[in-house]
């Protein structure tokens, strides 16, 4: 017999989780505090990317021609459909490999389920959703690990490969670079509306479509010498991930508020009060390194701090190649991709204009 809250009402997978998607992530300031005393990876000569800059994945150079990319990502459900939850979590995890300029090779499942609260059929659907996206990416889910957990958790550990020259970090932007964002913002706003039961069917479909679109363009961008840095935009919001690029690269980034691409109903929903708790935590974590223009409406700020689950890529590209790269990204299946700002010499910070 399952321990469900109300047998007469439709069962909601999200009712078992206190948060969902990348909104579950620890705030940037908390994560920095936890990692503050971790030993650097510098003694390991072949570790090209470790924890120093908060990049999307670890990179280990196997030989002169091959790098190994390793990452893991998992979270609690932000939708009630178990198959879609599996698809979203898998897309989000695989994105880290693409963000480094690599191609995924294989994945292992990470599964935590509250025994006695979910039918086995629902858990199978979660796993099937993850496998469906892995298949779309051309990789197997070759194993994994499962535990009894108080809340449902699913994700993947993903291994990928790349040539050394195609690795793209979040810490290698150049002064003068143009910034491109490949997906629209507002997933957190949509999820807040969904939890309150007010997200329209069309908006729900738009949200699912965005979160289950693989960032495979990252593997192509890594081959382009004009693309200097890449990171994926997830739980820290566009401001938080831009700040990681600024700090890692030692540059001042400027974002144009009016240029940011948004999901279709994001502005209307956030003005109606649909904001996640992670949005507030994100804002409290940035400190003085983020500057907003005087008079910026509160709802606009919430879009800047909105946690993205399986969000787009933030790309720093040489200015003379920006339009070409933007057209390439849009043609590859990311119609909302847009130029959103620039990088310049200056104290590492992010300014919104």
């Amino acid at each position: 017999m399952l321990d469900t809250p109300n047998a007469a009402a439709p069962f909601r997978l999200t009712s078992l989780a206190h948060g969902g998607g990348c909104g579950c992530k620890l705030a940037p300031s908390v994560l920095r505090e936890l990692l503050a005393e971790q030993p650097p990876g510098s003694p390991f000569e072949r570790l090209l990317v470790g924890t120093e800059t908060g990049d999307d994945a670890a990179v280990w150079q196997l030989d002169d021609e091959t790098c190994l990319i390793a990452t893991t990502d998992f979270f609690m459900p932000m939708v009630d459909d178990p198959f879609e939850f599996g698809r979203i979590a898998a897309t989000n995890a695989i994105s880290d490999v693409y963000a480094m300029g690599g191609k995924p090779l294989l994945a292992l499942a990470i599964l935590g389920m509250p025994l006695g609260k979910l039918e086995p059929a629902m858990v199978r659907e979660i796993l099937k959703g993850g496998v469906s996206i892995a298949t779309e990416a051309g990789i197997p889910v070759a194993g994994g690990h499962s535990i009894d957990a108080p809340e449902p958790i699913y994700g993947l550990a993903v291994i990928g490969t790349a040539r050394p020259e195609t690795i793209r970090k979040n810490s290698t932007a150049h002064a003068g670079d143009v910034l491109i964002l490949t997906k629209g913002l507002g997933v957190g706003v949509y999820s807040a509306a969904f939890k309150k039961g007010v997200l329209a069917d069309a908006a729900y479909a738009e949200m699912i479509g965005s979160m289950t679109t693989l960032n495979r363009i990252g593997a192509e961008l890594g081959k382009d010498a004009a693309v200097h840095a890449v990171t994926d935009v997830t739980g820290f919001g566009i401001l938080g991930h831009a700040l990681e690029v600024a700090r890692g690269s030692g540059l001042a980034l400027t974002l144009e508020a009016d240029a940011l691409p948004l999901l279709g109903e994001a502005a209307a929903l956030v003005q109606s009060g649909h904001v996640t708790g992670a949005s507030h935590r994100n804002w409290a974590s940035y400190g003085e390194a983020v500057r907003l223009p005087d008079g910026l409406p509160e709802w606009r700020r919430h879009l800047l701090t909105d946690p993205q689950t399986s969000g787009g890529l933030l790309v720093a590209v040489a200015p003379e190649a920006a339009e070409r790269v933007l057209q390439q990204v849009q043609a590859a299946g990311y119609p909302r991709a847009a130029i959103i700002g620039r990088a310049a010499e200056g104290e590492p910070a992010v300014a919104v204009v």
Side-chain angles (χ1 to χ4, degrees):
M1 187 79 177
L2 289 180
D3 181 19
T4 52
N6 184 348
F11 176 71
R12 299 196 68 177
L13 185 61
T14 52
S15 69
L16 298 178
H18 75 278
C22 287
C24 299
K25 290 178 70 169
L26 296 176
S29 58
V30 174
L31 188 58
R32 287 198 302 274
E33 181 180 356
L34 294 177
L35 295 176
E37 298 182 6
Q38 295 298 309
S42 54
F44 300 93
E45 293 181 358
R46 292 185 178 272
L47 183 63
L48 303 187
V49 181
T51 61
E52 291 81 5
T53 58
D55 220 320
D56 298 299
V59 180
W60 183 273
Q61 186 165 356
L62 292 175
D63 53 41
D64 291 343
E65 296 184 350
T66 308
C67 289
L68 193 69
I69 303 171
T71 185
T72 182
D73 219 317
F74 53 89
F75 46 60
M76 292 168 282
M78 61 185 300
V79 295
D80 293 319
D81 185 312
F83 184 77
E84 295 295 4
F85 170 42
R87 293 179 70 219
I88 294 163
T91 306
N92 182 73
I94 295 170
S95 177
D96 289 340
V97 172
Y98 290 131
M100 301 305 298
K103 289 187 175 181
L105 185 64
L106 63 86
L108 302 174
I110 299 165
L111 181 70
M113 288 293 140
L115 296 180
K117 294 185 177 180
L118 282 179
E119 293 280 3
M122 294 188 73
V123 181
R124 287 197 296 269
E125 285 299 301
I126 294 171
L127 296 174
K128 285 180 182 179
V131 169
S132 74
I133 287 294
T135 300
E136 186 178 332
I139 66 172
V141 178
H145 186 65
S146 59
I147 63 169
D148 178 13
E151 296 178 284
I153 297 169
Y154 177 69
L156 298 176
V158 188
I159 301 297
T161 59
R163 293 185 59 85
E165 66 270 17
T166 69
I167 293 294
R168 291 296 181 269
K169 306 177 185 179
N170 69 355
S171 57
T172 49
H174 296 185
D177 277 353
V178 170
L179 305 175
I180 295 173
L181 181 61
T182 64
K183 288 185 182 180
L185 302 173
V187 168
V189 170
Y190 274 44
S191 68
F194 172 77
K195 287 183 178 180
K196 295 177 182 177
V198 297
L199 188 67
D201 290 346
Y204 177 81
E206 182 187 23
M207 178 179 72
I208 296 293
S210 178
M211 292 189 295
T212 57
T213 297
L214 288 163
N215 281 323
R216 63 173 82 242
I217 187 63
E220 298 305 314
L221 295 176
K223 301 174 184 177
D224 193 330
V227 174
H228 298 144
V230 181
T231 191
D232 65 345
V233 177
T234 55
F236 299 160
I238 184 62
L239 283 182
H241 291 284
L243 186 56
E244 288 183 330
V245 174
R247 285 172 168 160
S249 305
L251 297 172
L253 269 57
T254 299
L255 304 182
E256 299 177 17
D258 291 337
L260 294 171
L262 304 177
L263 297 182
E265 301 298 321
L269 287 170
V270 75
Q271 289 180 78
S272 299
H274 299 293
V275 178
T276 68
S279 177
H280 296 286
R281 293 194 299 274
N282 282 342
W283 175 246
S285 294
Y286 303 148
E288 296 181 357
V290 169
R291 296 187 291 272
L292 303 182
D294 293 338
L296 185 76
E298 186 79 355
W299 67 269
R300 297 292 295 270
R301 178 175 71 76
H302 282 306
L303 290 172
L304 293 165
T305 60
D306 189 52
Q308 304 306 289
T309 299
S310 190
L313 300 177
L314 178 62
V315 184
V317 57
E320 65 274 12
E323 286 295 337
R324 172 182 61 79
V325 171
L326 176 62
Q327 291 176 17
Q328 176 190 356
V329 171
Q330 291 173 337
Y334 310 86
R336 292 192 183 274
I339 291 173
I340 66 166
R342 292 182 177 273
E345 297 285 356
E347 179 183 351
V350 178
V352 178
V353 297

